[in-house]
Amino acid sequence: RKEVEQDPGPFNVPEGATVAFNCTYSNSASQSFFWYRQDCRKEPKLLMSVYSSGNEDGRFTAQLNRASQYISLLIRDSKLSDSATYLCVVIPGSGNTGKLIFGQGTTLQVKP
Amino acid sequence: ETGVTQTPRHLVMGMTNKKSLKCEQHLGHNAMYWYKQSAKKPLELMFVYNFKEQTENNSVPSRFSPECPNSSHLFLHLHTLQPEDSALYLCASSQLFGHTEAFFGQGTRLTVV
């Protein structure tokens, strides 16, 4: 089983739609979780951290489900500029050893 | 403008060449990383340096040789590469200890011919 798994998509949605991505992780001791965004031929950039209580940043909501070992990202009112690849990132184990494990990424295409 | 700078941005090299990738971070971080990103594959962690010491070598072939002279600079020395080594090589840095994000450089797109 891969350490971090994502559905690669692509997800094709119209502007204004709500879309959700899930990501599963295999190491139950993992403590830190993030969503990164990567535009075509660019470097990944942090979109948001994922906290145990869930967190929201504007149109973006991230949730953590430890029991089922998955994290989710919800995007409301999709914009054309949201088109990108969304990477799920996990720091496995307890403490921060600096080892970030990336999922394959989920590609989102928002259409006019 | 990124706090992590990589050079060169693009590199084409033959299989018998020797070249080096350079990474510099201006963020005061104490951990630096090399990642490889191939088409349709997840980012693969190659090496991790904490406080200039290598703490992770993710079964990377010896034709890739990292060097970390100080906490701000990281190199990846390349020699006798194969065409399948063509990929985007990304450097990142972060602050250890705690729920901290990694910042990436813009990457070096490497083509081995």
Side-chain angles (χ1 to χ4, degrees):
Chain A
R1 182 184 174 187
K2 293 179 184 176
E3 289 187 83
V4 179
E5 288 200 72
Q6 294 181 251
D7 179 349
F11 285 60
N12 295 301
V13 303
E15 269 188 293
T18 295
V19 62
F21 310 134
N22 281 343
C23 164
T24 59
Y25 60 94
S26 61
N27 188 331
S28 59
S30 298
Q31 297 293 323
S32 297
F33 310 89
F34 307 89
W35 283 103
Y36 275 70
R37 169 188 171 138
Q38 186 172 24
D39 293 295
C40 188
R41 305 185 78 80
K42 296 287 186 68
E43 74 275 22
K45 292 184 179 179
L46 180 71
L47 176 66
M48 58 197 307
S49 301
V50 187
Y51 301 115
S52 297
S53 56
N55 49 304
E56 186 174 313
D57 182 4
R59 298 182 292 109
F60 298 83
T61 301
Q63 297 279 356
L64 168 63
N65 185 317
R66 286 193 184 276
S68 301
Q69 293 181 212
Y70 76 84
I71 67 173
S72 63
L73 177 67
L74 180 77
I75 305 175
R76 290 180 297 277
D77 188 24
S78 299
K79 312 290 185 192
L80 295 177
S81 56
D82 294 334
S83 298
T85 297
Y86 291 84
L87 303 166
C88 172
V89 183
V90 174
I91 296 181
S94 57
N96 187 347
T97 61
K99 182 178 175 182
L100 284 77
I101 304 299
F102 284 76
Q104 182 181 1
T106 298
T107 299
L108 172 66
Q109 291 279 358
V110 181
K111 309 281 188 185
Chain B
E1 184 178 333
T2 178
V4 181
T5 306
Q6 286 187 245
T7 54
R9 294 288 308 279
H10 301 273
L11 178 62
V12 179
M13 60 186 288
M15 289 189 283
T16 57
N17 292 158
K18 289 184 181 181
K19 296 287 184 184
S20 295
L21 310 185
K22 180 182 176 182
C23 177
E24 183 175 359
Q25 58 99 358
H26 314 278
L27 302 167
H29 289 163
N30 46 34
M32 296 188 76
Y33 318 86
W34 280 116
Y35 281 86
K36 175 183 178 182
Q37 188 172 36
S38 305
K40 302 193 184 301
K41 292 177 70 176
L43 272 81
E44 300 170 53
L45 179 64
M46 300 175 72
F47 302 104
V48 180
Y49 278 82
N50 295 341
F51 297 101
K52 303 189 302 177
E53 299 299 320
Q54 186 181 128
T55 57
E56 185 93 18
N57 177 336
N58 205 22
S59 302
V60 181
S62 59
R63 57 186 184 269
F64 295 92
S65 174
E67 178 189 0
C68 188
N70 54 61
S71 294
S72 300
H73 292 85
L74 186 64
F75 296 89
L76 188 62
H77 304 299
L78 316 171
H79 65 97
T80 60
L81 295 191
Q82 305 298 313
E84 59 265 29
D85 296 323
S86 299
L88 179 68
Y89 288 84
L90 289 158
C91 172
S93 71
S94 72
Q95 198 68 357
L96 288 175
F97 314 121
H99 186 89
T100 59
E101 66 179 284
F103 290 83
F104 284 83
Q106 293 176 295
T108 295
R109 189 159 296 280
L110 173 67
T111 303
V112 181
V113 297

PDB file of all heavy atoms in Angstrom, chain A residues 81-109:
ATOM      1  N   SER A  81      -9.203  29.966 -11.911  1.00  0.00           N
ATOM      2  CA  SER A  81      -7.840  30.007 -11.381  1.00  0.00           C
ATOM      3  C   SER A  81      -7.556  28.881 -10.384  1.00  0.00           C
ATOM      4  O   SER A  81      -6.402  28.721  -9.968  1.00  0.00           O
ATOM      5  CB  SER A  81      -7.587  31.355 -10.688  1.00  0.00           C
ATOM      6  OG  SER A  81      -8.555  31.574  -9.686  1.00  0.00           O
ATOM      7  N   ASP A  82      -8.588  28.133 -10.014  1.00  0.00           N
ATOM      8  CA  ASP A  82      -8.366  26.979  -9.128  1.00  0.00           C
ATOM      9  C   ASP A  82      -7.821  25.781  -9.889  1.00  0.00           C
ATOM     10  O   ASP A  82      -7.409  24.784  -9.283  1.00  0.00           O
ATOM     11  CB  ASP A  82      -9.677  26.572  -8.435  1.00  0.00           C
ATOM     12  CG  ASP A  82     -10.187  27.619  -7.464  1.00  0.00           C
ATOM     13  OD1 ASP A  82      -9.367  28.400  -6.944  1.00  0.00           O
ATOM     14  OD2 ASP A  82     -11.411  27.661  -7.240  1.00  0.00           O
ATOM     15  N   SER A  83      -7.804  25.848 -11.210  1.00  0.00           N
ATOM     16  CA  SER A  83      -7.291  24.741 -12.019  1.00  0.00           C
ATOM     17  C   SER A  83      -5.815  24.519 -11.700  1.00  0.00           C
ATOM     18  O   SER A  83      -4.994  25.424 -11.862  1.00  0.00           O
ATOM     19  CB  SER A  83      -7.460  25.038 -13.516  1.00  0.00           C
ATOM     20  OG  SER A  83      -8.820  25.179 -13.843  1.00  0.00           O
ATOM     21  N   ALA A  84      -5.502  23.333 -11.230  1.00  0.00           N
ATOM     22  CA  ALA A  84      -4.144  23.014 -10.784  1.00  0.00           C
ATOM     23  C   ALA A  84      -4.137  21.558 -10.340  1.00  0.00           C
ATOM     24  O   ALA A  84      -5.158  20.871 -10.385  1.00  0.00           O
ATOM     25  CB  ALA A  84      -3.720  23.914  -9.621  1.00  0.00           C
ATOM     26  N   THR A  85      -2.983  21.109  -9.876  1.00  0.00           N
ATOM     27  CA  THR A  85      -2.889  19.794  -9.239  1.00  0.00           C
ATOM     28  C   THR A  85      -2.767  19.992  -7.742  1.00  0.00           C
ATOM     29  O   THR A  85      -1.954  20.812  -7.294  1.00  0.00           O
ATOM     30  CB  THR A  85      -1.676  19.006  -9.773  1.00  0.00           C
ATOM     31  OG1 THR A  85      -1.863  18.764 -11.165  1.00  0.00           O
ATOM     32  CG2 THR A  85      -1.538  17.676  -9.054  1.00  0.00           C
ATOM     33  N   TYR A  86      -3.565  19.286  -6.985  1.00  0.00           N
ATOM     34  CA  TYR A  86      -3.597  19.421  -5.532  1.00  0.00           C
ATOM     35  C   TYR A  86      -2.905  18.204  -4.906  1.00  0.00           C
ATOM     36  O   TYR A  86      -3.292  17.069  -5.130  1.00  0.00           O
ATOM     37  CB  TYR A  86      -5.038  19.582  -5.050  1.00  0.00           C
ATOM     38  CG  TYR A  86      -5.593  20.916  -5.489  1.00  0.00           C
ATOM     39  CD1 TYR A  86      -6.144  21.081  -6.757  1.00  0.00           C
ATOM     40  CD2 TYR A  86      -5.509  22.030  -4.662  1.00  0.00           C
ATOM     41  CE1 TYR A  86      -6.613  22.315  -7.194  1.00  0.00           C
ATOM     42  CE2 TYR A  86      -5.980  23.272  -5.084  1.00  0.00           C
ATOM     43  CZ  TYR A  86      -6.521  23.399  -6.350  1.00  0.00           C
ATOM     44  OH  TYR A  86      -6.974  24.632  -6.774  1.00  0.00           O
ATOM     45  N   LEU A  87      -1.880  18.485  -4.147  1.00  0.00           N
ATOM     46  CA  LEU A  87      -1.032  17.437  -3.577  1.00  0.00           C
ATOM     47  C   LEU A  87      -1.312  17.272  -2.088  1.00  0.00           C
ATOM     48  O   LEU A  87      -1.273  18.247  -1.333  1.00  0.00           O
ATOM     49  CB  LEU A  87       0.447  17.795  -3.768  1.00  0.00           C
ATOM     50  CG  LEU A  87       0.906  18.027  -5.208  1.00  0.00           C
ATOM     51  CD1 LEU A  87       2.264  18.705  -5.225  1.00  0.00           C
ATOM     52  CD2 LEU A  87       0.980  16.718  -5.951  1.00  0.00           C
ATOM     53  N   CYS A  88      -1.555  16.048  -1.711  1.00  0.00           N
ATOM     54  CA  CYS A  88      -1.731  15.709  -0.301  1.00  0.00           C
ATOM     55  C   CYS A  88      -0.351  15.380   0.262  1.00  0.00           C
ATOM     56  O   CYS A  88       0.413  14.637  -0.365  1.00  0.00           O
ATOM     57  CB  CYS A  88      -2.666  14.502  -0.225  1.00  0.00           C
ATOM     58  SG  CYS A  88      -2.845  13.767   1.376  1.00  0.00           S
ATOM     59  N   VAL A  89      -0.016  15.925   1.404  1.00  0.00           N
ATOM     60  CA  VAL A  89       1.316  15.750   1.976  1.00  0.00           C
ATOM     61  C   VAL A  89       1.199  15.329   3.427  1.00  0.00           C
ATOM     62  O   VAL A  89       0.439  15.928   4.198  1.00  0.00           O
ATOM     63  CB  VAL A  89       2.137  17.049   1.869  1.00  0.00           C
ATOM     64  CG1 VAL A  89       3.548  16.823   2.398  1.00  0.00           C
ATOM     65  CG2 VAL A  89       2.178  17.543   0.433  1.00  0.00           C
ATOM     66  N   VAL A  90       1.983  14.329   3.786  1.00  0.00           N
ATOM     67  CA  VAL A  90       1.941  13.784   5.146  1.00  0.00           C
ATOM     68  C   VAL A  90       3.353  13.713   5.695  1.00  0.00           C
ATOM     69  O   VAL A  90       4.284  13.337   4.976  1.00  0.00           O
ATOM     70  CB  VAL A  90       1.309  12.375   5.141  1.00  0.00           C
ATOM     71  CG1 VAL A  90       1.388  11.732   6.517  1.00  0.00           C
ATOM     72  CG2 VAL A  90      -0.129  12.440   4.652  1.00  0.00           C
ATOM     73  N   ILE A  91       3.508  14.087   6.953  1.00  0.00           N
ATOM     74  CA  ILE A  91       4.771  13.820   7.644  1.00  0.00           C
ATOM     75  C   ILE A  91       4.534  12.576   8.496  1.00  0.00           C
ATOM     76  O   ILE A  91       3.775  12.625   9.467  1.00  0.00           O
ATOM     77  CB  ILE A  91       5.213  15.007   8.506  1.00  0.00           C
ATOM     78  CG1 ILE A  91       5.489  16.216   7.607  1.00  0.00           C
ATOM     79  CG2 ILE A  91       6.466  14.642   9.301  1.00  0.00           C
ATOM     80  CD1 ILE A  91       5.949  17.445   8.364  1.00  0.00           C
ATOM     81  N   PRO A  92       5.130  11.450   8.117  1.00  0.00           N
ATOM     82  CA  PRO A  92       4.815  10.200   8.808  1.00  0.00           C
ATOM     83  C   PRO A  92       5.465  10.115  10.174  1.00  0.00           C
ATOM     84  O   PRO A  92       6.503  10.726  10.417  1.00  0.00           O
ATOM     85  CB  PRO A  92       5.403   9.128   7.876  1.00  0.00           C
ATOM     86  CG  PRO A  92       6.513   9.823   7.187  1.00  0.00           C
ATOM     87  CD  PRO A  92       6.110  11.257   7.050  1.00  0.00           C
ATOM     88  N   GLY A  93       4.859   9.400  11.074  1.00  0.00           N
ATOM     89  CA  GLY A  93       5.461   9.196  12.377  1.00  0.00           C
ATOM     90  C   GLY A  93       5.264  10.391  13.282  1.00  0.00           C
ATOM     91  O   GLY A  93       4.753  11.428  12.877  1.00  0.00           O
ATOM     92  N   SER A  94       5.707  10.236  14.507  1.00  0.00           N
ATOM     93  CA  SER A  94       5.560  11.320  15.475  1.00  0.00           C
ATOM     94  C   SER A  94       6.749  12.255  15.365  1.00  0.00           C
ATOM     95  O   SER A  94       7.831  11.868  14.946  1.00  0.00           O
ATOM     96  CB  SER A  94       5.487  10.736  16.893  1.00  0.00           C
ATOM     97  OG  SER A  94       6.639   9.964  17.143  1.00  0.00           O
ATOM     98  N   GLY A  95       6.549  13.488  15.734  1.00  0.00           N
ATOM     99  CA  GLY A  95       7.613  14.472  15.637  1.00  0.00           C
ATOM    100  C   GLY A  95       7.852  14.879  14.195  1.00  0.00           C
ATOM    101  O   GLY A  95       7.344  14.251  13.268  1.00  0.00           O
ATOM    102  N   ASN A  96       8.601  15.906  13.993  1.00  0.00           N
ATOM    103  CA  ASN A  96       8.864  16.386  12.638  1.00  0.00           C
ATOM    104  C   ASN A  96      10.281  16.014  12.259  1.00  0.00           C
ATOM    105  O   ASN A  96      11.247  16.636  12.680  1.00  0.00           O
ATOM    106  CB  ASN A  96       8.646  17.898  12.573  1.00  0.00           C
ATOM    107  CG  ASN A  96       8.737  18.405  11.151  1.00  0.00           C
ATOM    108  OD1 ASN A  96       9.194  17.701  10.259  1.00  0.00           O
ATOM    109  ND2 ASN A  96       8.313  19.621  10.927  1.00  0.00           N
ATOM    110  N   THR A  97      10.414  14.974  11.474  1.00  0.00           N
ATOM    111  CA  THR A  97      11.738  14.571  11.005  1.00  0.00           C
ATOM    112  C   THR A  97      12.078  15.265   9.707  1.00  0.00           C
ATOM    113  O   THR A  97      13.139  15.054   9.158  1.00  0.00           O
ATOM    114  CB  THR A  97      11.766  13.049  10.769  1.00  0.00           C
ATOM    115  OG1 THR A  97      10.803  12.736   9.763  1.00  0.00           O
ATOM    116  CG2 THR A  97      11.449  12.302  12.047  1.00  0.00           C
ATOM    117  N   GLY A  98      11.157  16.053   9.225  1.00  0.00           N
ATOM    118  CA  GLY A  98      11.401  16.747   7.981  1.00  0.00           C
ATOM    119  C   GLY A  98      11.080  15.934   6.756  1.00  0.00           C
ATOM    120  O   GLY A  98      11.245  16.410   5.643  1.00  0.00           O
ATOM    121  N   LYS A  99      10.622  14.735   6.886  1.00  0.00           N
ATOM    122  CA  LYS A  99      10.390  13.864   5.739  1.00  0.00           C
ATOM    123  C   LYS A  99       8.945  14.019   5.297  1.00  0.00           C
ATOM    124  O   LYS A  99       8.038  13.471   5.896  1.00  0.00           O
ATOM    125  CB  LYS A  99      10.668  12.415   6.137  1.00  0.00           C
ATOM    126  CG  LYS A  99      10.501  11.420   5.021  1.00  0.00           C
ATOM    127  CD  LYS A  99      10.856  10.025   5.520  1.00  0.00           C
ATOM    128  CE  LYS A  99      10.588   8.980   4.456  1.00  0.00           C
ATOM    129  NZ  LYS A  99      10.894   7.621   4.941  1.00  0.00           N
ATOM    130  N   LEU A 100       8.734  14.787   4.242  1.00  0.00           N
ATOM    131  CA  LEU A 100       7.392  14.975   3.704  1.00  0.00           C
ATOM    132  C   LEU A 100       7.130  13.938   2.631  1.00  0.00           C
ATOM    133  O   LEU A 100       7.933  13.755   1.723  1.00  0.00           O
ATOM    134  CB  LEU A 100       7.244  16.366   3.088  1.00  0.00           C
ATOM    135  CG  LEU A 100       7.082  17.547   4.042  1.00  0.00           C
ATOM    136  CD1 LEU A 100       8.397  17.928   4.667  1.00  0.00           C
ATOM    137  CD2 LEU A 100       6.478  18.727   3.324  1.00  0.00           C
ATOM    138  N   ILE A 101       6.004  13.257   2.737  1.00  0.00           N
ATOM    139  CA  ILE A 101       5.615  12.265   1.745  1.00  0.00           C
ATOM    140  C   ILE A 101       4.449  12.832   0.944  1.00  0.00           C
ATOM    141  O   ILE A 101       3.428  13.230   1.513  1.00  0.00           O
ATOM    142  CB  ILE A 101       5.199  10.948   2.408  1.00  0.00           C
ATOM    143  CG1 ILE A 101       6.320  10.420   3.307  1.00  0.00           C
ATOM    144  CG2 ILE A 101       4.844   9.911   1.341  1.00  0.00           C
ATOM    145  CD1 ILE A 101       7.614  10.126   2.590  1.00  0.00           C
ATOM    146  N   PHE A 102       4.595  12.832  -0.367  1.00  0.00           N
ATOM    147  CA  PHE A 102       3.599  13.415  -1.247  1.00  0.00           C
ATOM    148  C   PHE A 102       2.744  12.344  -1.892  1.00  0.00           C
ATOM    149  O   PHE A 102       3.226  11.276  -2.264  1.00  0.00           O
ATOM    150  CB  PHE A 102       4.289  14.206  -2.360  1.00  0.00           C
ATOM    151  CG  PHE A 102       4.823  15.538  -1.934  1.00  0.00           C
ATOM    152  CD1 PHE A 102       5.994  15.622  -1.198  1.00  0.00           C
ATOM    153  CD2 PHE A 102       4.154  16.692  -2.263  1.00  0.00           C
ATOM    154  CE1 PHE A 102       6.487  16.851  -0.795  1.00  0.00           C
ATOM    155  CE2 PHE A 102       4.636  17.932  -1.872  1.00  0.00           C
ATOM    156  CZ  PHE A 102       5.808  18.008  -1.134  1.00  0.00           C
ATOM    157  N   GLY A 103       1.474  12.647  -2.054  1.00  0.00           N
ATOM    158  CA  GLY A 103       0.620  11.836  -2.897  1.00  0.00           C
ATOM    159  C   GLY A 103       0.879  12.174  -4.357  1.00  0.00           C
ATOM    160  O   GLY A 103       1.619  13.108  -4.673  1.00  0.00           O
ATOM    161  N   GLN A 104       0.253  11.418  -5.227  1.00  0.00           N
ATOM    162  CA  GLN A 104       0.442  11.613  -6.665  1.00  0.00           C
ATOM    163  C   GLN A 104      -0.155  12.926  -7.146  1.00  0.00           C
ATOM    164  O   GLN A 104       0.263  13.469  -8.158  1.00  0.00           O
ATOM    165  CB  GLN A 104      -0.194  10.438  -7.410  1.00  0.00           C
ATOM    166  CG  GLN A 104      -0.020  10.482  -8.908  1.00  0.00           C
ATOM    167  CD  GLN A 104      -0.677   9.308  -9.600  1.00  0.00           C
ATOM    168  OE1 GLN A 104      -1.293   8.457  -8.952  1.00  0.00           O
ATOM    169  NE2 GLN A 104      -0.575   9.235 -10.905  1.00  0.00           N
ATOM    170  N   GLY A 105      -1.129  13.437  -6.389  1.00  0.00           N
ATOM    171  CA  GLY A 105      -1.776  14.670  -6.806  1.00  0.00           C
ATOM    172  C   GLY A 105      -3.087  14.400  -7.502  1.00  0.00           C
ATOM    173  O   GLY A 105      -3.246  13.377  -8.177  1.00  0.00           O
ATOM    174  N   THR A 106      -4.027  15.305  -7.324  1.00  0.00           N
ATOM    175  CA  THR A 106      -5.325  15.259  -8.005  1.00  0.00           C
ATOM    176  C   THR A 106      -5.427  16.491  -8.890  1.00  0.00           C
ATOM    177  O   THR A 106      -5.260  17.618  -8.412  1.00  0.00           O
ATOM    178  CB  THR A 106      -6.484  15.267  -6.992  1.00  0.00           C
ATOM    179  OG1 THR A 106      -6.401  14.101  -6.175  1.00  0.00           O
ATOM    180  CG2 THR A 106      -7.829  15.292  -7.708  1.00  0.00           C
ATOM    181  N   THR A 107      -5.679  16.251 -10.164  1.00  0.00           N
ATOM    182  CA  THR A 107      -5.767  17.363 -11.112  1.00  0.00           C
ATOM    183  C   THR A 107      -7.188  17.888 -11.197  1.00  0.00           C
ATOM    184  O   THR A 107      -8.133  17.109 -11.374  1.00  0.00           O
ATOM    185  CB  THR A 107      -5.299  16.911 -12.503  1.00  0.00           C
ATOM    186  OG1 THR A 107      -3.933  16.491 -12.405  1.00  0.00           O
ATOM    187  CG2 THR A 107      -5.395  18.054 -13.505  1.00  0.00           C
ATOM    188  N   LEU A 108      -7.323  19.185 -11.050  1.00  0.00           N
ATOM    189  CA  LEU A 108      -8.624  19.852 -11.156  1.00  0.00           C
ATOM    190  C   LEU A 108      -8.610  20.788 -12.359  1.00  0.00           C
ATOM    191  O   LEU A 108      -7.698  21.587 -12.526  1.00  0.00           O
ATOM    192  CB  LEU A 108      -8.914  20.669  -9.892  1.00  0.00           C
ATOM    193  CG  LEU A 108     -10.156  21.574  -9.947  1.00  0.00           C
ATOM    194  CD1 LEU A 108     -11.424  20.733 -10.057  1.00  0.00           C
ATOM    195  CD2 LEU A 108     -10.212  22.481  -8.723  1.00  0.00           C
ATOM    196  N   GLN A 109      -9.642  20.645 -13.199  1.00  0.00           N
ATOM    197  CA  GLN A 109      -9.838  21.551 -14.327  1.00  0.00           C
ATOM    198  C   GLN A 109     -11.194  22.222 -14.133  1.00  0.00           C
ATOM    199  O   GLN A 109     -12.216  21.540 -14.121  1.00  0.00           O
ATOM    200  CB  GLN A 109      -9.833  20.794 -15.655  1.00  0.00           C
ATOM    201  CG  GLN A 109      -8.494  20.222 -16.051  1.00  0.00           C
ATOM    202  CD  GLN A 109      -7.593  21.262 -16.699  1.00  0.00           C
ATOM    203  OE1 GLN A 109      -8.003  22.408 -16.876  1.00  0.00           O
ATOM    204  NE2 GLN A 109      -6.387  20.885 -17.045  1.00  0.00           N
TER     205      GLN A 109
END
